Amino acid sequence: MKRALVVAMILVAAGYLLLRAVAAGWFGRHEEPGQVTRRPIPAEIVAERAAQQRSAAAAVSAVAGAGTETPADKQILFGDLHVHTTFSPDAYLRSLPMLQGEGAHPPADACDFARYCSALDFWSINDHAEGITPQHWKETVETIRQCNAVAGDAANPDVVAFLGWEWTQVGLTPDTHYGHKNVVLKGTGDDEIPARPIASRSVSQGALRGSVPPMQRALLALAGGERRYHDLLRYFEERASTDACPDDVPVRDLPVECMESAATPGELFAKLDDWGHESIVIPHGTTWGMYTPAGSTWDKQLSAAQHDPNRQTLIEVYSGHGNSEEYRDYEEVRFDATGQPRCPPPTKTHLPSCWRAGQIIHERCTEAGLDAKTCDERADVARQRYAEAGNAGHHVVPGVTIDDWLDSGQCRDCFLPSFNYRPGGSAQYILALRNFDEGAGPERFRFGFMASSDNHSARPGTGYKEINRREMTEASGAADPTWRARLAPPPTDPKPESSSAEDVFQRMQAFQVFEMERQASFFMTGGLIAAHAEGRGRDAVWQALQRREVYGTSGDRILLWFDLLEDDASGGGIVPMGGELETNQNPRFRVRAVGAFRQKPGCPEDSLVALGAERIERLCRGECYNPSDDRKRITRIEVVRIRPKARRTDRVADLIDDPWKVHSCPPDASGCTFEFEDPTFATSGRDTVYYVRAIEEPSPTVNAGNLRCTRDAEGSCIEVNPCYGDYRTDYQDDCLADSEERAWSSPIFVDWIAASGTISATSARKARGRA
């Protein structure tokens, strides 16, 4: 008996030690960086792309007439400055079999995809700094260098790869939330880059570092039954064993093998200044309500403490997470005089999710036969509890389904909006702000516009074809009902009464807090940044980024020019998109746009030769950027005018004219041109911001229907047909619906001055130290 007991104890101890070893990742493999394919795109193919663009520019200029020629020393280059690989924790999780993942997609995949699949001119790597270990940072740097080494002539490369990372800050309240920002570095040499990326302190010691309890890790690996789960535990362990860098130590004096972090944008900018390397910081996801607290706005970031106008010069208006351009005058939540959240009533164009929570409880209460007074009270309590629970508010309604929420929380009339849209972070809202605190930092935000993919499978520039929703967007989910039951929050019965916020947070773990399933209907294939560059090399691209002579597209490679035409008295020159002018004369502008090439199926021969059929299928999913000779038609050009606040009390909605002007384009494949003037500027006495949208003819687009609402005669959503990320929507279903692909120019900033005369954009930039 004693012997059996001893054996049992030994077996239990051995089992425990085995589980500990499994949890520590002893049976897993390090996530390797991969190998860059050592074959550049032939120079003649790169030259042919430039020739096609020159031909298109000449054709649309001919339509516009004399005096509209495009400068011969500039070309439009397309890129993606927001790309993740499976070095990022969330990307790694998406790669797992339980979420229908594809396995590893390391940095080398991103290089090959940009070169052979999407045929980009430039791209950057932006893995979450919160999950990058010292070893993975070294491997990232080396992979980017290898990617550039393949590119050929540095002055005329086939593609330019930039090094960078994402600073992923999340606050629980509007006062503490600053959001996500990408850092892109100009150089790649040891003397041009920091020793380590800079993480957000809000996340760096949380879920992204693998804070799952050890036994849960081990059980996950054993339940998964595949090697990739053991690799995940090795991945977790490598991150958990990286110590945080000490605070208040100059960056160059910190240990190399630590995780550096910054709690606020101001701290991030200070550390970048401390390093002294050239970099650009690009905020993104500014309206994405998956993590942004309801009621958040960008007002608090317009200060010397939280904004660096010399580094933070661009903003991402569109990505695979949707559109962040448009402002809408609705409230997701309302704060009373004491700062407590309250639920605002619905409007004709917006149903707050907190209000819908009350409706659901009221419907259940009524069906349960309770009296009207009780049901009204329970509905009020549910609304308040939702408001108090913030981004976990959807959990206060027990047993709720996606169908129950209808289209609550969404922007009904925005173009491909981000999920749970937060209008206080929209580009239009941000450009309408003004800092009235004298001597307290920058007066206004002056952002150029760009777009990106925000892809998490090492696929820069995924929007070239509207295909493969599961691989080319972030839509993912449980592979089967068993995995869904394991990953989802604990089930609850659909009771006619809400749960408290305290109860919700006690039951939830990590990402369970967020509304993961419903947002799968809002993931797009992503956008691109286009740069008007004076050459193909790194310096030329960087200079275009710095002067904001860039624009964003929703994925199609639309050609767009937007210029302010100076009068003869001012020199008769042009101020391109992104530029600035001080004047008291009515400004005149010219827009030219050419639609993107329609795509042929498959991949070009050179891509097939370079990667081979097997890798083309796994990485490119058998489809590459493969243009025909036929272009889509530009149907109209829209002009947006914003007059930034002149008084603190100005309503932002009254400052935005969208659209201010609309020009319908003739059915001409060679493009569309439009000139216009603001006849009221000179007498308005107000600074004004102008930008344009070039709109293409409708075409099928992944997830363009979002929740695919059935609406009643008043436009209210009465039923939804979600496009799930998990097994409930067929894996091959791309959830296509027609949308109008578009390009957004960077704004031109025209500042009103009382004195006679005009100061050119170049002079204005020099006066502020930006030239």
Side-chain angles (χ1 to χ4, degrees), residues 619-632:
L619 184 58
C620 314
R621 305 310 298 177
E623 294 288 348
C624 306
Y625 179 73
N626 194 14
S628 69
D629 295 328
D630 183 29
R631 289 186 178 272
K632 296 181 182 179

Side-chain angles (χ1 to χ4, degrees), residues 51-63:
Q52 289 175 331
Q53 190 180 114
R54 287 193 299 272
S55 176
V60 75
S61 295
V63 172

Side-chain angles (χ1 to χ4, degrees), residues 599-675:
Q599 294 295 302
K600 298 183 292 186
C603 294
E605 181 64 24
D606 187 73
S607 295
L608 291 166
V609 171
L611 294 183
E614 183 177 345
R615 186 153 169 77
I616 281 283
E617 182 58 36
R618 183 176 190 274
L619 184 58
C620 314
R621 305 310 298 177
E623 294 288 348
C624 306
Y625 179 73
N626 194 14
S628 69
D629 295 328
D630 183 29
R631 289 186 178 272
K632 296 181 182 179
R633 185 170 68 87
I634 300 293
T635 61
R636 68 186 184 278
I637 292 171
E638 298 177 345
V639 183
V640 178
R641 183 178 71 173
I642 301 174
R643 301 184 184 191
K645 285 188 173 186
R647 295 169 295 276
R648 290 181 188 269
T649 55
D650 286 345
R651 280 183 72 245
V652 169
D654 297 334
L655 308 176
I656 301 167
D657 298 317
D658 179 15
W660 176 51
K661 293 181 182 291
V662 178
H663 173 72
S664 295
C665 300
D668 188 344
S670 62
C672 183
T673 184
F674 171 45
E675 290 192 15

Side-chain angles (χ1 to χ4, degrees), residues 380-716:
D380 287 341
V381 170
R383 294 180 185 116
Q384 183 58 31
R385 285 177 167 176
Y386 189 111
E388 292 172 354
N391 285 341
H394 56 293
H395 290 302
V396 305
V397 181
V400 74
T401 67
I402 289 181
D403 293 352
D404 293 330
W405 291 112
L406 301 176
D407 69 341
S408 62
Q410 310 314 318
C411 183
R412 290 175 176 169
D413 61 344
C414 292
F415 170 75
L416 302 183
S418 60
F419 175 67
N420 279 352
Y421 200 81
R422 309 298 192 215
S426 66
Q428 291 180 346
Y429 181 90
I430 290 169
L431 292 182
L433 296 177
R434 188 184 297 273
N435 182 359
F436 293 96
D437 297 329
E438 188 172 345
E443 184 183 18
R444 285 164 45 201
F445 289 113
R446 295 176 184 262
F447 287 138
F449 287 177
M450 54 85 73
S452 305
S453 70
D454 196 357
N455 180 269
H456 281 63
S457 57
R459 291 183 168 114
T462 42
Y464 55 87
K465 288 177 180 175
E466 294 295 324
I467 55 170
N468 297 318
R469 180 176 66 96
R470 299 301 180 90
E471 293 86 8
M472 300 298 186
T473 81
E474 304 314 293
S476 65
D480 54 48
T482 300
W483 272 115
R484 182 166 181 263
R486 290 170 177 168
L487 298 171
T492 53
D493 295 327
K495 300 175 182 178
E497 191 168 10
S498 59
S499 302
S500 68
E502 292 78 8
D503 178 61
V504 166
F505 287 115
Q506 286 177 359
R507 291 187 291 111
M508 299 300 115
Q509 295 184 24
F511 286 106
Q512 289 180 346
V513 170
F514 301 116
E515 212 169 348
M516 303 295 287
E517 290 187 336
R518 195 158 66 120
Q519 72 172 344
S521 295
F522 293 80
F523 286 133
M524 312 298 167
T525 55
L528 294 172
I529 179 174
H532 287 268
E534 297 174 350
R536 293 188 56 84
R538 179 179 302 273
D539 287 344
V541 174
W542 191 258
Q543 289 162 13
L545 299 177
Q546 286 196 311
R547 63 178 182 263
R548 301 181 304 227
E549 199 173 345
V550 299
Y551 62 93
T553 87
S554 55
D556 273 8
R557 296 182 198 195
I558 298 167
L559 305 180
L560 178 64
W561 297 264
F562 175 46
D563 302 309
L564 185 151
L565 310 176
E566 294 185 282
D567 58 29
D568 292 338
S570 305
I574 65 169
V575 178
M577 64 177 72
E580 303 172 20
L581 189 75
E582 293 183 353
T583 185
N584 56 15
Q585 304 298 311
N586 291 334
R588 184 165 184 79
F589 303 88
R590 178 190 296 130
V591 190
R592 288 169 293 155
V594 181
F597 284 120
R598 299 183 192 277
Q599 294 295 302
K600 298 183 292 186
C603 294
E605 181 64 24
D606 187 73
S607 295
L608 291 166
V609 171
L611 294 183
E614 183 177 345
R615 186 153 169 77
I616 281 283
E617 182 58 36
R618 183 176 190 274
L619 184 58
C620 314
R621 305 310 298 177
E623 294 288 348
C624 306
Y625 179 73
N626 194 14
S628 69
D629 295 328
D630 183 29
R631 289 186 178 272
K632 296 181 182 179
R633 185 170 68 87
I634 300 293
T635 61
R636 68 186 184 278
I637 292 171
E638 298 177 345
V639 183
V640 178
R641 183 178 71 173
I642 301 174
R643 301 184 184 191
K645 285 188 173 186
R647 295 169 295 276
R648 290 181 188 269
T649 55
D650 286 345
R651 280 183 72 245
V652 169
D654 297 334
L655 308 176
I656 301 167
D657 298 317
D658 179 15
W660 176 51
K661 293 181 182 291
V662 178
H663 173 72
S664 295
C665 300
D668 188 344
S670 62
C672 183
T673 184
F674 171 45
E675 290 192 15
F676 64 93
E677 179 178 302
D678 186 348
T680 64
F681 176 84
T683 57
S684 70
R686 298 191 67 141
D687 299 342
T688 308
V689 180
Y690 307 85
Y691 70 90
V692 300
R693 293 188 287 250
I695 315 293
E696 280 186 336
E697 59 185 286
S699 59
T701 303
V702 169
N703 267 346
N706 294 148
L707 292 167
R708 300 186 287 191
C709 275
T710 299
R711 300 191 180 276
D712 63 17
E714 286 74 41
S716 296

Side-chain angles (χ1 to χ4, degrees), residues 65-85:
T68 62
E69 292 77 13
T70 301
D73 60 346
K74 286 185 181 178
Q75 58 183 304
I76 298 175
L77 304 178
F78 290 96
D80 187 352
L81 297 180
H82 191 172
V83 182
H84 297 271
T85 75

